[in-house]
Amino acid sequence: MLRIALPNKGRLADDTRELFRDAGVDVRARDERALTATLGDLFEAIFVRAQDIPEFVADGAAGAGITGADLIAESDRALCTLADLEFGKCRLVVAATDSSEIESVDAIPDGARVATSFPRLARRYFSGAARNVEIVPVSGAAEIAPHIGIADVIVDLVSTGSTLRVNGLHEVATICESSARMIVAPDGAAPNGADRRALEELVGALQSVLRARGQRYLMANVPRTRLPAVKRVLPGLNGPTVVDIMNSGEHVAVHAVVPAAQVYRTVAELKALDAEGILVTRIERLMP
Ligand code: AMP
């Protein structure tokens, strides 16, 4: 069985489990606290700290792994990304206290102390920006560092920005964007043969779920005479499917895949074309 390293806690862990479940890949563990589980029929999952996953995959302890792009970059290990899984979106930012009047990286004085759990990325960023700073490595809660006098600015992850706000900090610059990625070791050390095929099928299944999440399946009955206009409203993946309705000479059923964000407008446009019996459903998987 190919071993896949998965995050053991936090939002990356929850979203990973949800994605596997939606893809129909069972995560079966003997106990909630178990550190291993079977993943479908072909894989074994090990649950480890998200920041350790790049090392485990690079060293071959796991054939593949799922973790954040921020942690992959911070590890500085040579790794290949098989897929962007789109969850765990966040940004690594430089932030300063609201009382500091620092509004740009150029305003950070020489010798400033930077608290962060991303020392490599922070060091690289500040040296690229020609700022001479002192990195203060912390393992978490960097937001507190400027308030207790151990740092002047911080480099930390931001999702909604509310943690920075409630701790009296504001963003000064974005270092990089991040989301969850499926990774393998570089060519040569990566799984090959049957393992590689199984992994690619798994990635395909996960991606089909991600693709489906942003789309809806829309069905409506429309007057046959309105079809040319309906086709303009409902482009679908390859144009709408048009189906005869038994004993209804005047109406036909149209089916199409519509971006979730456009459903509201599309329904209104179909109604204006005398559509009836409009039905919108979620899609489990989408393989174009
Ligand atoms: P927020 O208040 O939504 O900006 O979240 C910020 C807090 O959540 C910080 O403590 C971050 O370290 C953490 N955080 C946000 N997004 C992520 C992520 N994708 N992965 C890990 N930690 C995150």
Side-chain angles (χ1 to χ4, degrees), residues 29-57:
R30 240 184 292 144
D31 185 283
E32 244 185 36
R33 289 156 300 177
L35 299 177
T36 62
T38 56
L39 207 55
D41 299 325
L42 301 174
F43 308 102
E44 178 197 36
I46 56 166
F47 299 105
V48 291
R49 279 162 32 116
Q51 47 272 68
D52 292 335
I53 291 175
E55 299 290 337
F56 290 174
V57 175

Side-chain angles (χ1 to χ4, degrees), residues 11-12 70 88-90 143 156-164:
R11 47 186 110 181
L12 282 182
D70 50 324
K89 284 194 174 152
C90 58
E143 295 94 345
D156 200 7
L157 297 176
V158 168
S159 168
T160 60
S162 65
T163 306
L164 284 189

Side-chain angles (χ1 to χ4, degrees), residues 173-223:
T174 295
I175 297 180
C176 61
E177 312 229 326
S178 178
S179 57
R181 309 286 158 94
M182 166 83 85
I183 48 170
V184 292
D187 283 351
N192 53 33
D195 277 347
R196 180 72 178 203
R197 282 193 295 280
L199 198 54
E200 275 166 10
E201 273 172 27
L202 175 66
V203 169
L206 299 179
Q207 283 175 324
S208 72
V209 171
L210 297 172
R211 221 176 278 125
R213 283 182 179 168
Q215 306 284 335
R216 297 290 180 270
Y217 197 66
L218 191 149
M219 296 166 262
N221 297 339
V222 299

